[in-house]
């Protein structure tokens, strides 16, 4: 009986979460608005998300160019009503070419309500960090894989800690770079092509 009640609460929360997501957009959401429905849309939105990042923090363009790889999640849709959920699709690029498509999922519990859409971009600055991500099945950042959340220093440039981290993440909302964002607890799994 207890499991049945928990299932009903989970289902009701999920319906509420999905309903609230419609209340928030990321403006010209990385090119197309909303979650991509095709691989081509995902590619276009990913490129647009990178361009938004470069505009918000110009130093990231050089960081991405020198990196081993970049994971771009152009439209992470999330919402919550006590129980929170996030979902999105991402492309993994290295050397300018796409090397895989991934699904991002996350959940949280706590006092929370609302919906949002954002872009999350992970930059792998070391070969080991990139290879560990590629070789793992269902990696979660924060579970043995530490990520520095990208932030700008006083002069608007990438701070030293972020630039030296094996993996750094940048979160873009509808007004630009989000400060103090959390990227822990998100699980990634490769989508077969």
């Amino acid at each position: 009986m207890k499991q049945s009640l928990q299932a009903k609460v989970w289902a009701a929360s999920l319906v509420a979460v999905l309903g609230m997501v419609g209340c928030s957009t990321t403006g010209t959401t990385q090119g197309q608005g909303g979650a991509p429905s095709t691989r081509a849309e995902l590619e276009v939105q990913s490129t647009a998300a990178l361009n938004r990042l470069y505009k918000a923090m110009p130093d990231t363009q050089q960081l991405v160019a020198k990196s081993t790889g970049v994971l771009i999640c152009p439209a992470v849709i999330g919402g919550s009503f006590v129980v929170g959920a996030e979902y999105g699709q991402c492309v993994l690029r290295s050397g300018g070419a796409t090397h895989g498509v991934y699904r991002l999922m996350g959940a949280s519990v706590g006092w929370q309500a609302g919906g949002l859409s954002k872009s999350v971009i992970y930059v792998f600055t070391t070969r080991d960090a990139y290879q560990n991500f590629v070789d793992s099945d269902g990696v979660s950042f924060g579970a043995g894989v530490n990520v520095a959340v990208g932030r700008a220093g006083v002069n608007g440039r990438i701070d030293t800690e972020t630039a030296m981290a094996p993996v750094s993440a940048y979160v873009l909302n509808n007004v630009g770079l989000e400060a103090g964002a959390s990227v822990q607890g998100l699980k990634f799994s490769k989508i077969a092509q």
Side-chain angles (χ1 to χ4, degrees):
M1 183 69 173
K2 186 177 179 182
Q3 286 182 336
S4 176
L5 179 60
Q6 287 176 335
K8 288 178 183 177
V9 169
W10 175 254
S13 297
L14 186 59
V15 168
V17 164
L18 294 174
M20 285 186 269
V21 169
C23 298
S24 176
T25 66
T26 51
T28 57
T29 313
Q30 295 62 292
Q32 305 298 317
S37 59
T38 67
R39 171 77 183 264
E41 284 181 16
L42 179 60
E43 292 286 352
V44 167
Q45 287 185 14
S46 295
T47 299
L50 268 180
N51 289 333
R52 283 188 66 222
L53 175 63
Y54 299 157
K55 185 175 179 183
M57 189 183 277
D59 284 355
T60 57
Q61 190 164 7
Q62 183 178 4
L63 183 68
V64 168
K66 290 181 177 180
S67 72
T68 304
V70 59
L71 182 69
I72 310 154
C73 312
V76 177
I77 308 296
S80 59
F81 186 73
V82 181
V83 175
E86 290 184 293
Y87 174 83
Q89 290 184 8
C90 316
V91 296
L92 180 64
R93 292 181 181 167
S94 180
T98 296
H99 292 275
V101 177
Y102 289 78
R103 179 178 298 110
L104 168 153
M105 295 177 78
S108 60
V109 177
W111 185 247
Q112 51 193 343
L116 60 94
S117 175
K118 61 187 176 187
S119 296
V120 184
I121 300 167
Y122 296 87
V123 180
F124 299 91
T125 56
T126 68
R127 166 82 42 219
D128 285 346
Y130 175 80
Q131 202 59 52
N132 287 340
F133 178 82
V134 170
D135 292 344
S136 67
D137 184 29
V139 69
S140 292
F141 291 122
V145 180
N146 292 322
V147 177
V149 176
R151 52 185 197 271
V154 177
N155 59 2
R157 301 184 69 132
I158 297 174
D159 73 332
T160 306
E161 181 181 333
T162 303
M164 304 212 28
V167 182
S168 58
Y170 302 86
V171 179
L172 295 163
N173 59 27
N174 56 348
V175 293
L177 195 62
E178 186 175 316
S182 173
V183 295
Q184 304 298 327
L186 300 175
K187 184 174 182 177
F188 297 85
S189 54
K190 189 166 186 175
I191 299 172
Q193 297 180 17

